[in-house]
mmCIF file of all heavy atoms in Angstrom:
data_model
loop_
_atom_site.group_PDB
_atom_site.id
_atom_site.type_symbol
_atom_site.label_atom_id
_atom_site.label_comp_id
_atom_site.label_asym_id
_atom_site.label_seq_id
_atom_site.Cartn_x
_atom_site.Cartn_y
_atom_site.Cartn_z
ATOM 1 N N ILE A 1 -20.179 4.038 7.986
ATOM 2 C CA ILE A 1 -20.738 4.542 9.242
ATOM 3 C C ILE A 1 -20.703 6.062 9.194
ATOM 4 O O ILE A 1 -19.632 6.675 9.079
ATOM 5 C CB ILE A 1 -19.957 4.023 10.462
ATOM 6 C CG1 ILE A 1 -20.044 2.499 10.538
ATOM 7 C CG2 ILE A 1 -20.489 4.645 11.751
ATOM 8 C CD1 ILE A 1 -19.265 1.905 11.675
ATOM 9 N N ALA A 2 -21.868 6.686 9.289
ATOM 10 C CA ALA A 2 -21.984 8.143 9.150
ATOM 11 C C ALA A 2 -21.636 8.834 10.462
ATOM 12 O O ALA A 2 -22.493 9.344 11.187
ATOM 13 C CB ALA A 2 -23.396 8.518 8.708
ATOM 14 N N ALA A 3 -20.337 8.835 10.771
ATOM 15 C CA ALA A 3 -19.866 9.436 12.023
ATOM 16 C C ALA A 3 -18.452 9.956 11.811
ATOM 17 O O ALA A 3 -17.747 9.520 10.891
ATOM 18 C CB ALA A 3 -19.890 8.408 13.152
ATOM 19 N N PRO A 4 -17.997 10.884 12.659
ATOM 20 C CA PRO A 4 -16.609 11.350 12.574
ATOM 21 C C PRO A 4 -15.641 10.301 13.120
ATOM 22 O O PRO A 4 -15.923 9.646 14.133
ATOM 23 C CB PRO A 4 -16.603 12.607 13.458
ATOM 24 C CG PRO A 4 -18.045 12.967 13.661
ATOM 25 C CD PRO A 4 -18.786 11.677 13.617
ATOM 26 N N PHE A 5 -14.505 10.146 12.465
ATOM 27 C CA PHE A 5 -13.431 9.265 12.911
ATOM 28 C C PHE A 5 -12.177 10.105 13.096
ATOM 29 O O PHE A 5 -11.867 10.966 12.272
ATOM 30 C CB PHE A 5 -13.151 8.168 11.887
ATOM 31 C CG PHE A 5 -14.238 7.140 11.760
ATOM 32 C CD1 PHE A 5 -15.350 7.386 10.977
ATOM 33 C CD2 PHE A 5 -14.148 5.923 12.419
ATOM 34 C CE1 PHE A 5 -16.363 6.446 10.848
ATOM 35 C CE2 PHE A 5 -15.154 4.974 12.298
ATOM 36 C CZ PHE A 5 -16.259 5.232 11.516
ATOM 37 N N VAL A 6 -11.445 9.841 14.182
ATOM 38 C CA VAL A 6 -10.201 10.550 14.469
ATOM 39 C C VAL A 6 -9.104 9.505 14.655
ATOM 40 O O VAL A 6 -9.218 8.628 15.516
ATOM 41 C CB VAL A 6 -10.328 11.415 15.738
ATOM 42 C CG1 VAL A 6 -8.985 12.051 16.080
ATOM 43 C CG2 VAL A 6 -11.399 12.488 15.555
ATOM 44 N N SER A 7 -8.057 9.570 13.840
ATOM 45 C CA SER A 7 -7.012 8.543 13.885
ATOM 46 C C SER A 7 -5.633 9.167 13.781
ATOM 47 O O SER A 7 -5.451 10.228 13.180
ATOM 48 C CB SER A 7 -7.174 7.541 12.727
ATOM 49 O OG SER A 7 -8.418 6.889 12.769
ATOM 50 N N CYS A 8 -4.662 8.470 14.354
ATOM 51 C CA CYS A 8 -3.268 8.787 14.080
ATOM 52 C C CYS A 8 -2.914 8.094 12.765
ATOM 53 O O CYS A 8 -3.401 6.992 12.481
ATOM 54 C CB CYS A 8 -2.370 8.279 15.212
ATOM 55 S SG CYS A 8 -0.638 8.777 15.038
ATOM 56 N N ASP A 9 -2.078 8.716 11.948
ATOM 57 C CA ASP A 9 -1.711 8.142 10.648
ATOM 58 C C ASP A 9 -0.718 7.010 10.876
ATOM 59 O O ASP A 9 0.500 7.212 10.889
ATOM 60 C CB ASP A 9 -1.116 9.230 9.745
ATOM 61 C CG ASP A 9 -1.004 8.780 8.296
ATOM 62 O OD1 ASP A 9 -0.921 7.563 8.060
ATOM 63 O OD2 ASP A 9 -0.997 9.639 7.407
ATOM 64 N N ASP A 10 -1.243 5.796 11.042
ATOM 65 C CA ASP A 10 -0.406 4.645 11.369
ATOM 66 C C ASP A 10 0.560 4.295 10.250
ATOM 67 O O ASP A 10 1.686 3.859 10.501
ATOM 68 C CB ASP A 10 -1.290 3.438 11.683
ATOM 69 C CG ASP A 10 -2.145 3.665 12.918
ATOM 70 O OD1 ASP A 10 -1.582 3.689 14.024
ATOM 71 O OD2 ASP A 10 -3.362 3.844 12.777
ATOM 72 N N ARG A 11 0.120 4.438 9.017
ATOM 73 C CA ARG A 11 1.015 4.146 7.894
ATOM 74 C C ARG A 11 2.212 5.100 7.902
ATOM 75 O O ARG A 11 3.364 4.677 7.750
ATOM 76 C CB ARG A 11 0.251 4.251 6.568
ATOM 77 C CG ARG A 11 1.127 3.983 5.354
ATOM 78 C CD ARG A 11 0.377 4.090 4.037
ATOM 79 N NE ARG A 11 1.284 3.873 2.933
ATOM 80 C CZ ARG A 11 1.198 2.873 2.060
ATOM 81 N NH1 ARG A 11 0.222 1.984 2.167
ATOM 82 N NH2 ARG A 11 2.077 2.756 1.065
ATOM 83 N N GLU A 12 1.940 6.366 8.085
ATOM 84 C CA GLU A 12 3.006 7.365 8.147
ATOM 85 C C GLU A 12 3.952 7.073 9.310
ATOM 86 O O GLU A 12 5.171 7.267 9.199
ATOM 87 C CB GLU A 12 2.402 8.756 8.288
ATOM 88 C CG GLU A 12 3.417 9.880 8.414
ATOM 89 C CD GLU A 12 4.096 10.236 7.094
ATOM 90 O OE1 GLU A 12 3.733 9.648 6.060
ATOM 91 O OE2 GLU A 12 4.985 11.103 7.123
ATOM 92 N N ALA A 13 3.412 6.587 10.414
ATOM 93 C CA ALA A 13 4.233 6.321 11.593
ATOM 94 C C ALA A 13 5.299 5.265 11.306
ATOM 95 O O ALA A 13 6.481 5.448 11.634
ATOM 96 C CB ALA A 13 3.340 5.868 12.754
ATOM 97 N N THR A 14 4.891 4.147 10.710
ATOM 98 C CA THR A 14 5.880 3.099 10.449
ATOM 99 C C THR A 14 6.840 3.513 9.344
ATOM 100 O O THR A 14 8.015 3.133 9.363
ATOM 101 C CB THR A 14 5.190 1.773 10.094
ATOM 102 O OG1 THR A 14 4.154 2.001 9.134
ATOM 103 C CG2 THR A 14 4.597 1.119 11.326
ATOM 104 N N GLU A 15 6.380 4.314 8.388
ATOM 105 C CA GLU A 15 7.292 4.801 7.353
ATOM 106 C C GLU A 15 8.369 5.691 7.976
ATOM 107 O O GLU A 15 9.560 5.569 7.638
ATOM 108 C CB GLU A 15 6.523 5.564 6.278
ATOM 109 C CG GLU A 15 5.659 4.678 5.391
ATOM 110 C CD GLU A 15 5.182 5.410 4.150
ATOM 111 O OE1 GLU A 15 5.965 6.170 3.555
ATOM 112 O OE2 GLU A 15 4.011 5.221 3.775
ATOM 113 N N LEU A 16 7.985 6.565 8.888
ATOM 114 C CA LEU A 16 8.957 7.430 9.553
ATOM 115 C C LEU A 16 9.918 6.622 10.410
ATOM 116 O O LEU A 16 11.126 6.913 10.462
ATOM 117 C CB LEU A 16 8.229 8.463 10.413
ATOM 118 C CG LEU A 16 7.539 9.605 9.670
ATOM 119 C CD1 LEU A 16 6.701 10.430 10.640
ATOM 120 C CD2 LEU A 16 8.554 10.486 8.965
ATOM 121 N N ALA A 17 9.407 5.595 11.099
ATOM 122 C CA ALA A 17 10.263 4.764 11.945
ATOM 123 C C ALA A 17 11.302 4.017 11.111
ATOM 124 O O ALA A 17 12.486 3.949 11.470
ATOM 125 C CB ALA A 17 9.406 3.777 12.736
ATOM 126 N N VAL A 18 10.874 3.451 9.994
ATOM 127 C CA VAL A 18 11.812 2.745 9.110
ATOM 128 C C VAL A 18 12.840 3.726 8.560
ATOM 129 O O VAL A 18 14.047 3.419 8.523
ATOM 130 C CB VAL A 18 11.057 2.041 7.968
ATOM 131 C CG1 VAL A 18 12.036 1.535 6.907
ATOM 132 C CG2 VAL A 18 10.235 0.879 8.504
ATOM 133 N N ALA A 19 12.406 4.908 8.113
ATOM 134 C CA ALA A 19 13.332 5.898 7.567
ATOM 135 C C ALA A 19 14.388 6.290 8.601
ATOM 136 O O ALA A 19 15.566 6.479 8.265
ATOM 137 C CB ALA A 19 12.564 7.129 7.093
ATOM 138 N N HIS A 20 13.980 6.404 9.844
ATOM 139 C CA HIS A 20 14.921 6.728 10.917
ATOM 140 C C HIS A 20 15.976 5.639 11.072
ATOM 141 O O HIS A 20 17.181 5.927 11.146
ATOM 142 C CB HIS A 20 14.149 6.910 12.225
ATOM 143 C CG HIS A 20 15.016 7.018 13.439
ATOM 144 N ND1 HIS A 20 15.953 8.015 13.612
ATOM 145 C CD2 HIS A 20 15.094 6.229 14.558
ATOM 146 C CE1 HIS A 20 16.561 7.858 14.774
ATOM 147 N NE2 HIS A 20 16.064 6.780 15.363
ATOM 148 N N LEU A 21 15.564 4.386 11.078
ATOM 149 C CA LEU A 21 16.507 3.286 11.250
ATOM 150 C C LEU A 21 17.414 3.129 10.026
ATOM 151 O O LEU A 21 18.604 2.837 10.162
ATOM 152 C CB LEU A 21 15.751 1.988 11.534
ATOM 153 C CG LEU A 21 15.021 1.950 12.885
ATOM 154 C CD1 LEU A 21 14.216 0.666 13.032
ATOM 155 C CD2 LEU A 21 16.009 2.088 14.036
ATOM 156 N N VAL A 22 16.861 3.327 8.843
ATOM 157 C CA VAL A 22 17.681 3.266 7.626
ATOM 158 C C VAL A 22 18.748 4.357 7.655
ATOM 159 O O VAL A 22 19.905 4.135 7.268
ATOM 160 C CB VAL A 22 16.801 3.389 6.370
ATOM 161 C CG1 VAL A 22 17.662 3.609 5.121
ATOM 162 C CG2 VAL A 22 15.947 2.135 6.196
ATOM 163 N N ALA A 23 18.381 5.541 8.136
ATOM 164 C CA ALA A 23 19.348 6.639 8.237
ATOM 165 C C ALA A 23 20.489 6.298 9.179
ATOM 166 O O ALA A 23 21.590 6.833 9.045
ATOM 167 C CB ALA A 23 18.647 7.907 8.700
ATOM 168 N N LEU A 24 20.241 5.401 10.104
ATOM 169 C CA LEU A 24 21.277 4.974 11.056
ATOM 170 C C LEU A 24 22.081 3.788 10.538
ATOM 171 O O LEU A 24 22.958 3.276 11.240
ATOM 172 C CB LEU A 24 20.624 4.611 12.397
ATOM 173 C CG LEU A 24 19.973 5.782 13.151
ATOM 174 C CD1 LEU A 24 19.229 5.282 14.386
ATOM 175 C CD2 LEU A 24 21.023 6.816 13.548
ATOM 176 N N GLY A 25 21.783 3.341 9.307
ATOM 177 C CA GLY A 25 22.555 2.261 8.714
ATOM 178 C C GLY A 25 21.936 0.891 8.820
ATOM 179 O O GLY A 25 22.536 -0.094 8.390
ATOM 180 N N HIS A 26 20.719 0.784 9.365
ATOM 181 C CA HIS A 26 20.056 -0.520 9.489
ATOM 182 C C HIS A 26 19.362 -0.882 8.175
ATOM 183 O O HIS A 26 18.829 -0.013 7.478
ATOM 184 C CB HIS A 26 19.028 -0.489 10.624
ATOM 185 C CG HIS A 26 19.628 -0.224 11.969
ATOM 186 N ND1 HIS A 26 20.150 -1.214 12.760
ATOM 187 C CD2 HIS A 26 19.804 0.941 12.648
ATOM 188 C CE1 HIS A 26 20.619 -0.681 13.883
ATOM 189 N NE2 HIS A 26 20.420 0.629 13.843
ATOM 190 N N ARG A 27 19.375 -2.168 7.850
ATOM 191 C CA ARG A 27 18.671 -2.642 6.666
ATOM 192 C C ARG A 27 17.707 -3.782 7.011
ATOM 193 O O ARG A 27 16.598 -3.816 6.489
ATOM 194 C CB ARG A 27 19.662 -3.104 5.576
ATOM 195 C CG ARG A 27 20.449 -1.967 4.936
ATOM 196 C CD ARG A 27 19.548 -0.979 4.226
ATOM 197 N NE ARG A 27 20.302 0.148 3.665
ATOM 198 C CZ ARG A 27 20.523 1.286 4.299
ATOM 199 N NH1 ARG A 27 20.052 1.448 5.533
ATOM 200 N NH2 ARG A 27 21.207 2.264 3.729
ATOM 201 N N ARG A 28 18.124 -4.694 7.846
ATOM 202 C CA ARG A 28 17.218 -5.775 8.265
ATOM 203 C C ARG A 28 16.404 -5.262 9.455
ATOM 204 O O ARG A 28 16.821 -5.349 10.614
ATOM 205 C CB ARG A 28 17.982 -7.049 8.620
ATOM 206 C CG ARG A 28 18.608 -7.725 7.412
ATOM 207 C CD ARG A 28 19.172 -9.100 7.731
ATOM 208 N NE ARG A 28 18.139 -10.056 8.134
ATOM 209 C CZ ARG A 28 17.348 -10.719 7.281
ATOM 210 N NH1 ARG A 28 17.440 -10.493 5.972
ATOM 211 N NH2 ARG A 28 16.460 -11.581 7.730
ATOM 212 N N ILE A 29 15.265 -4.678 9.135
ATOM 213 C CA ILE A 29 14.422 -4.009 10.126
ATOM 214 C C ILE A 29 13.120 -4.793 10.261
ATOM 215 O O ILE A 29 12.361 -4.917 9.293
ATOM 216 C CB ILE A 29 14.121 -2.557 9.697
ATOM 217 C CG1 ILE A 29 15.434 -1.777 9.550
ATOM 218 C CG2 ILE A 29 13.189 -1.887 10.695
ATOM 219 C CD1 ILE A 29 15.263 -0.431 8.856
ATOM 220 N N GLY A 30 12.886 -5.350 11.421
ATOM 221 C CA GLY A 30 11.690 -6.149 11.654
ATOM 222 C C GLY A 30 10.530 -5.313 12.147
ATOM 223 O O GLY A 30 10.711 -4.211 12.691
ATOM 224 N N LEU A 31 9.327 -5.837 11.954
ATOM 225 C CA LEU A 31 8.105 -5.190 12.427
ATOM 226 C C LEU A 31 7.404 -6.110 13.417
ATOM 227 O O LEU A 31 7.200 -7.298 13.142
ATOM 228 C CB LEU A 31 7.159 -4.904 11.256
ATOM 229 C CG LEU A 31 5.775 -4.363 11.643
ATOM 230 C CD1 LEU A 31 5.889 -2.940 12.191
ATOM 231 C CD2 LEU A 31 4.826 -4.398 10.454
ATOM 232 N N ILE A 32 7.042 -5.560 14.557
ATOM 233 C CA ILE A 32 6.267 -6.282 15.569
ATOM 234 C C ILE A 32 4.991 -5.498 15.824
ATOM 235 O O ILE A 32 5.037 -4.331 16.240
ATOM 236 C CB ILE A 32 7.054 -6.433 16.886
ATOM 237 C CG1 ILE A 32 8.353 -7.198 16.659
ATOM 238 C CG2 ILE A 32 6.200 -7.134 17.943
ATOM 239 C CD1 ILE A 32 9.251 -7.235 17.897
ATOM 240 N N THR A 33 3.858 -6.108 15.582
ATOM 241 C CA THR A 33 2.598 -5.419 15.848
ATOM 242 C C THR A 33 1.509 -6.448 16.118
ATOM 243 O O THR A 33 1.784 -7.649 16.186
ATOM 244 C CB THR A 33 2.229 -4.478 14.685
ATOM 245 O OG1 THR A 33 1.126 -3.670 15.062
ATOM 246 C CG2 THR A 33 1.917 -5.242 13.418
ATOM 247 N N GLY A 34 0.273 -5.980 16.289
ATOM 248 C CA GLY A 34 -0.813 -6.844 16.733
ATOM 249 C C GLY A 34 -1.466 -7.635 15.613
ATOM 250 O O GLY A 34 -0.980 -7.671 14.476
ATOM 251 N N PRO A 35 -2.579 -8.300 15.914
ATOM 252 C CA PRO A 35 -3.300 -9.111 14.924
ATOM 253 C C PRO A 35 -3.742 -8.289 13.729
ATOM 254 O O PRO A 35 -4.135 -7.128 13.874
ATOM 255 C CB PRO A 35 -4.506 -9.651 15.721
ATOM 256 C CG PRO A 35 -4.068 -9.591 17.153
ATOM 257 C CD PRO A 35 -3.196 -8.382 17.258
ATOM 258 N N ASP A 36 -3.712 -8.906 12.545
ATOM 259 C CA ASP A 36 -3.959 -8.144 11.325
ATOM 260 C C ASP A 36 -5.426 -7.866 11.052
ATOM 261 O O ASP A 36 -5.750 -7.251 10.037
ATOM 262 C CB ASP A 36 -3.338 -8.839 10.112
ATOM 263 C CG ASP A 36 -3.950 -10.201 9.840
ATOM 264 O OD1 ASP A 36 -4.840 -10.625 10.622
ATOM 265 O OD2 ASP A 36 -3.550 -10.841 8.857
ATOM 266 N N ARG A 37 -6.322 -8.264 11.943
ATOM 267 C CA ARG A 37 -7.726 -7.935 11.718
ATOM 268 C C ARG A 37 -8.042 -6.497 12.121
ATOM 269 O O ARG A 37 -9.120 -5.985 11.818
ATOM 270 C CB ARG A 37 -8.634 -8.901 12.490
ATOM 271 C CG ARG A 37 -8.628 -8.745 13.992
ATOM 272 C CD ARG A 37 -9.628 -9.695 14.645
ATOM 273 N NE ARG A 37 -9.860 -9.426 16.032
ATOM 274 C CZ ARG A 37 -9.164 -9.949 17.033
ATOM 275 N NH1 ARG A 37 -8.174 -10.785 16.774
ATOM 276 N NH2 ARG A 37 -9.451 -9.654 18.294
ATOM 277 N N PHE A 38 -7.109 -5.843 12.790
ATOM 278 C CA PHE A 38 -7.322 -4.467 13.227
ATOM 279 C C PHE A 38 -6.841 -3.478 12.169
ATOM 280 O O PHE A 38 -5.743 -3.623 11.616
ATOM 281 C CB PHE A 38 -6.615 -4.200 14.551
ATOM 282 C CG PHE A 38 -7.145 -5.015 15.698
ATOM 283 C CD1 PHE A 38 -6.400 -6.039 16.253
ATOM 284 C CD2 PHE A 38 -8.407 -4.756 16.218
ATOM 285 C CE1 PHE A 38 -6.889 -6.793 17.296
ATOM 286 C CE2 PHE A 38 -8.920 -5.507 17.264
ATOM 287 C CZ PHE A 38 -8.158 -6.532 17.796
ATOM 288 N N VAL A 39 -7.661 -2.468 11.901
ATOM 289 C CA VAL A 39 -7.339 -1.481 10.866
ATOM 290 C C VAL A 39 -5.999 -0.788 11.129
ATOM 291 O O VAL A 39 -5.178 -0.662 10.209
ATOM 292 C CB VAL A 39 -8.481 -0.453 10.742
ATOM 293 C CG1 VAL A 39 -8.078 0.692 9.814
ATOM 294 C CG2 VAL A 39 -9.748 -1.122 10.228
ATOM 295 N N PRO A 40 -5.711 -0.305 12.347
ATOM 296 C CA PRO A 40 -4.407 0.328 12.567
ATOM 297 C C PRO A 40 -3.238 -0.602 12.263
ATOM 298 O O PRO A 40 -2.211 -0.157 11.747
ATOM 299 C CB PRO A 40 -4.451 0.707 14.054
ATOM 300 C CG PRO A 40 -5.905 0.869 14.356
ATOM 301 C CD PRO A 40 -6.571 -0.195 13.553
ATOM 302 N N VAL A 41 -3.388 -1.885 12.568
ATOM 303 C CA VAL A 41 -2.323 -2.850 12.279
ATOM 304 C C VAL A 41 -2.124 -2.984 10.771
ATOM 305 O O VAL A 41 -0.990 -2.994 10.276
ATOM 306 C CB VAL A 41 -2.640 -4.212 12.912
ATOM 307 C CG1 VAL A 41 -1.657 -5.282 12.405
ATOM 308 C CG2 VAL A 41 -2.584 -4.114 14.433
ATOM 309 N N GLN A 42 -3.197 -3.099 10.036
ATOM 310 C CA GLN A 42 -3.102 -3.209 8.587
ATOM 311 C C GLN A 42 -2.376 -2.006 7.996
ATOM 312 O O GLN A 42 -1.554 -2.143 7.086
ATOM 313 C CB GLN A 42 -4.501 -3.336 7.984
ATOM 314 C CG GLN A 42 -5.230 -4.619 8.380
ATOM 315 C CD GLN A 42 -6.681 -4.634 7.921
ATOM 316 O OE1 GLN A 42 -7.163 -3.674 7.310
ATOM 317 N NE2 GLN A 42 -7.385 -5.708 8.228
ATOM 318 N N ARG A 43 -2.643 -0.844 8.531
ATOM 319 C CA ARG A 43 -1.993 0.365 8.025
ATOM 320 C C ARG A 43 -0.513 0.394 8.400
ATOM 321 O O ARG A 43 0.329 0.838 7.613
ATOM 322 C CB ARG A 43 -2.714 1.598 8.576
ATOM 323 C CG ARG A 43 -4.122 1.767 7.997
ATOM 324 C CD ARG A 43 -4.866 2.912 8.654
ATOM 325 N NE ARG A 43 -6.124 3.195 7.977
ATOM 326 C CZ ARG A 43 -6.989 4.119 8.355
ATOM 327 N NH1 ARG A 43 -6.728 4.859 9.437
ATOM 328 N NH2 ARG A 43 -8.110 4.313 7.685
ATOM 329 N N ARG A 44 -0.174 -0.067 9.592
ATOM 330 C CA ARG A 44 1.230 -0.085 9.995
ATOM 331 C C ARG A 44 2.025 -1.058 9.134
ATOM 332 O O ARG A 44 3.155 -0.774 8.739
ATOM 333 C CB ARG A 44 1.339 -0.461 11.478
ATOM 334 C CG ARG A 44 0.858 0.629 12.406
ATOM 335 C CD ARG A 44 0.763 0.159 13.833
ATOM 336 N NE ARG A 44 -0.063 1.076 14.625
ATOM 337 C CZ ARG A 44 -0.502 0.833 15.832
ATOM 338 N NH1 ARG A 44 -0.214 -0.331 16.424
ATOM 339 N NH2 ARG A 44 -1.253 1.713 16.460
ATOM 340 N N VAL A 45 1.447 -2.215 8.868
ATOM 341 C CA VAL A 45 2.127 -3.191 8.011
ATOM 342 C C VAL A 45 2.348 -2.598 6.624
ATOM 343 O O VAL A 45 3.435 -2.727 6.040
ATOM 344 C CB VAL A 45 1.310 -4.497 7.923
ATOM 345 C CG1 VAL A 45 1.915 -5.433 6.879
ATOM 346 C CG2 VAL A 45 1.261 -5.196 9.284
#
């Protein structure tokens, strides 16, 4: 699609969130997000 797209870096977001929890000593860290047909969800996973 020949148009501008503006997005938050969803992959970076979940990586930062996991790193934060790991720094606090957590290892079993679950992910809760929406249906996997959505591009932002795929990136977060």
Side-chain angles (χ1 to χ4, degrees):
I1 298 178
F5 290 82
V6 175
S7 300
C8 186
D9 193 335
D10 296 289
R11 179 180 178 117
E12 178 75 3
T14 46
E15 289 194 40
L16 286 172
V18 169
H20 170 61
L21 293 176
V22 169
L24 294 174
H26 298 275
R27 290 298 177 268
R28 291 189 64 81
I29 300 168
L31 174 69
I32 300 173
T33 189
D36 63 358
R37 70 176 191 270
F38 296 109
V39 172
V41 170
Q42 295 172 359
R43 291 174 172 178
R44 289 171 197 169
V45 172

